[in-house]
């Protein structure tokens, strides 16, 4: 697992880290590494990392080791766990420090409230792009999916909690939908205009006084903690 980093997302991620990083920790929310194709939306969680995905995650870990002390978190889905493990291996090879990967349930799909069969059938009927638009525009029943704002606040709570003190920086491995949620809610960046988040693409966060500063591909957003109903 050596050679140049080929992930298209590493350069903008590093740019964001350099842009927002101050004296405190940063928290990253990134999509898992490259996976095998999903054969059916009925069982989307069975797709595992490709060999390239594992290698890219390892190489990303080597670069992110420059952040210093780190913690690693992942969604309950196996490809996110394996991405985090390989990032940890890269960190360990570069820094000599072992970083265990810990699971956070809400890095998975906490926004799902209803029957996944209903969601998978709808995606098969209208396509994933149209499904996401209907969801984010509030056209789907709240008994099935959290509204966009509620789903975004759920994900922001993870970042804000990790940035509440001067502890280690954090890397959170999640899914494309989670990135889409934060990207549209915080930056007003629509997938119709920007495309889908790539593998290992993600958002960097840093706390400045009573706000969380977010960065995505050079775009900046400032979210007051009061907006998250969290103490400043």
């Amino acid at each position: 697992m050596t050679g140049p980093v080929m992930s298209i997302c590493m350069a903008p991620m590093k740019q964001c880290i350099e842009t927002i990083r101050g004296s405190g920790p940063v928290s990253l929310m990134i999509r898992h590494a490259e996976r095998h194709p999903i054969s059916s939306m009925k069982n989307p969680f069975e797709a595992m990392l490709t060999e390239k995905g594992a290698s890219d995650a390892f190489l990303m870990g080597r670069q992110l080791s420059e952040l210093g002390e780190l913690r690693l978190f992942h969604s309950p889905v196996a490809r996110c766990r394996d991405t985090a493990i390989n990032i940890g291996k890269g960190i360990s090879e570069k820094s000599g420090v072992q970083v265990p990967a810990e699971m956070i349930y809400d890095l998975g799909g906490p926004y799902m409230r209803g029957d996944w069969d209903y969601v998978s059938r709808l995606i098969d009927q209208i396509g994933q792009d149209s499904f996401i638009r209907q969801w984010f525009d509030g056209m789907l029943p709240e008994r099935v999916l959290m509204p966009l704002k509620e789903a975004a606040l759920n994900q922001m709570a993870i970042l804000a909690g990790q940035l509440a003190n001067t502890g280690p920086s954090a890397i959170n491995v999640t899914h494309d939908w989670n990135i889409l949620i934060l990207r549209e809610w915080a930056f007003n960046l629509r997938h119709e205009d920007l495309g889908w988040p790539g593998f290992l693409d993600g958002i960097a966060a840093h706390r400045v006084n009573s706000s969380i500063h977010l960065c995505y591909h050079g775009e900046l957003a400032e979210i007051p903690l009061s907006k998250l109903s969290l103490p400043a």
Side-chain angles (χ1 to χ4, degrees):
M1 291 187 179
T2 58
V5 176
M6 298 304 293
S7 168
I8 61 172
C9 303
M10 195 61 224
M13 178 66 76
K14 289 191 72 175
Q15 177 189 5
C16 274
I17 292 170
E18 292 167 2
T19 298
I20 68 171
R21 190 179 185 190
S23 57
V26 297
S27 184
L28 309 180
M29 185 84 73
I30 66 172
R31 187 186 179 193
H32 55 76
E34 183 182 88
R35 54 159 171 74
H36 291 284
I38 292 174
S39 58
S40 169
M41 285 305 294
K42 291 183 178 180
N43 299 295
F45 307 120
E46 295 179 356
M48 304 296 287
L49 293 188
T50 63
E51 184 176 345
K52 180 182 184 299
S55 178
D56 283 350
F58 175 85
L59 293 168
M60 177 176 259
R62 283 178 54 85
Q63 293 209 4
L64 291 179
S65 66
E66 298 171 4
L67 290 174
E69 187 180 2
L70 287 162
R71 296 186 70 185
L72 270 172
F73 303 98
H74 60 85
S75 105
V77 178
R79 58 180 174 268
C80 292
R81 177 202 63 207
D82 293 346
T83 298
I85 289 171
N86 280 286
I87 289 174
K89 289 178 180 177
I91 294 169
S92 177
E93 184 189 84
K94 189 67 181 283
S95 68
V97 177
Q98 300 288 330
V99 183
E102 306 172 57
M103 191 268 284
I104 294 180
Y105 173 80
D106 280 359
L107 289 173
Y111 35 77
M112 278 296 309
R113 288 172 165 164
D115 183 4
W116 177 255
D117 285 341
Y118 167 85
V119 170
S120 65
R121 286 195 304 271
L122 184 58
I123 292 172
D124 287 340
Q125 291 170 8
I126 67 174
Q128 196 162 184
D129 282 1
S130 295
F131 165 79
I132 291 292
R133 178 51 46 216
Q134 289 192 18
W135 173 15
F136 287 3
D137 285 353
M139 299 170 64
L140 299 181
E142 292 186 15
R143 61 179 173 76
V144 177
L145 288 156
M146 285 182 184
L148 174 62
K149 179 180 178 181
E150 185 179 351
L153 293 177
N154 175 280
Q155 297 299 290
M156 284 296 303
I158 297 172
L159 299 174
Q162 293 168 347
L163 297 171
N165 52 51
T166 57
S169 292
I171 303 168
N172 300 282
V173 183
T174 185
H175 302 269
D176 48 4
W177 287 10
N178 303 59
I179 303 299
L180 287 167
I181 287 166
L182 286 179
R183 207 171 66 172
E184 180 149 339
W185 177 79
F187 300 94
N188 197 29
L189 296 173
R190 295 161 55 100
H191 66 279
E192 293 93 340
D193 303 321
L194 203 59
W196 219 253
F199 298 118
L200 296 177
D201 194 5
I203 293 167
H206 174 64
R207 178 167 173 170
V208 180
N209 298 321
S210 58
S211 295
I212 302 296
H213 288 209
L214 303 176
C215 180
Y216 179 79
H217 288 228
E219 298 285 338
L220 301 174
E222 181 178 346
I223 313 297
L225 290 176
S226 58
K227 193 173 182 179
L228 308 179
S229 300
L230 294 170

